[in-house]
Structures are given as C-alpha cells and as structure tokens.
C-alpha cells in the first residue's frame, strides 16, 4: 500500500513513528506492507519518492528544523500538486482544519 501524508505536525509525525514501530507487526499479523511515497506540509516542506520516502530521515529532518525539501525527492510543490502527482492509494490527511469551512482538508480529499 502506497501512502501520501498531508500534514506532518504532531499527528503526522506520530503516525510516521507508529508505522515505523509497528512495520513488522502489521506485516506479520495483517499482511500489510506499506510505503510512504510523499509527505506535504505547509511549514515543513514536501518530498515525493515513488520508491518510498525514508521516514526516519524525514522525522530527523523536521526534528533538526530542516525542510522535507532537503531530503531525496524534496520538492517545492504544495499539497494539492503532490496529491495529483503521487502514486498513492491512501491519503492520510492530518492538516489543521478551519472548523467553519473544513479547509484545507476538504480540498485535499476532493483532489484525492
């Protein structure tokens, strides 16, 4: 399963940590094999790699205050561009959301 993560704050990073921590358990118990192929965050930058983003490197980069664009596959594209471009089957949308308009999550989900 190829995953695109939109939003890489506390929730997105927590999901990345859980995916890494439970990778072998998910495969053994459920036959679930995954790759994160892209990450987009308005403050932390974006990266896209159809072969799989190195999540440990992504977590380290943001912990050090570096942009995700500094990683292999780093890009300046916004979330909507990445959604249209990424070869993903699953979108994990974890951005802040305006409670009145539902944006930007609503636009991300429509694009996906």
């Amino acid at each position: 399963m190829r995953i695109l993560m939109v939003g890489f704050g506390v929730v997105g990073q927590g999901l990345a940590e859980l995916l890494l921590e439970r990778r072998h358990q998910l495969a053994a118990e459920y036959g679930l094999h995954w790759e994160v192929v892209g990450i987009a965050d308005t403050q932390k930058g974006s990266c896209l790699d159809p072969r799989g983003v190195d999540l440990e490197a992504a977590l380290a980069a943001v912990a050090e205050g570096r942009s995700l664009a500094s990683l292999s596959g780093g890009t300046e594209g916004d979330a909507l561009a990445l959604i249209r471009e990424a070869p993903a089957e699953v979108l994990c949308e974890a951005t802040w959301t305006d409670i009145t308009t539902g944006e930007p999550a609503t636009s991300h989900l429509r694009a996906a």
Side-chain angles (χ1 to χ4, degrees):
M1 170 175 63
R2 293 174 297 203
I3 302 169
L4 173 63
M5 299 178 74
V6 177
F8 206 61
V10 172
V11 173
Q13 290 175 56
L15 175 60
E17 290 167 355
L18 279 171
L19 286 170
L20 288 169
E21 181 182 308
R22 307 255 172 127
R23 176 173 230 137
H24 300 294
Q25 180 185 2
L26 291 169
E29 290 183 26
Y30 305 104
L32 180 63
H33 302 278
W34 57 266
E35 285 297 332
V36 171
V37 295
I39 305 171
D41 187 279
T42 56
Q43 294 180 341
K44 295 172 181 66
S46 300
C47 58
L48 176 66
D49 188 340
R51 296 166 294 150
V53 170
D54 182 339
L55 277 185
E56 289 176 345
L59 289 164
V62 298
E64 296 166 4
R66 293 185 291 122
S67 171
L68 294 170
S70 69
L71 301 174
S72 174
T75 180
E76 296 301 321
D78 65 4
L80 290 173
L82 228 59
I83 289 168
R84 291 183 186 105
E85 195 176 325
E89 292 126 359
V90 173
L91 171 66
C92 293
E93 211 293 339
T95 61
W96 63 273
T97 301
D98 181 297
I99 196 163
T100 305
T101 64
E103 293 297 343
T106 302
S107 291
H108 296 157
L109 295 174
R110 283 188 179 125

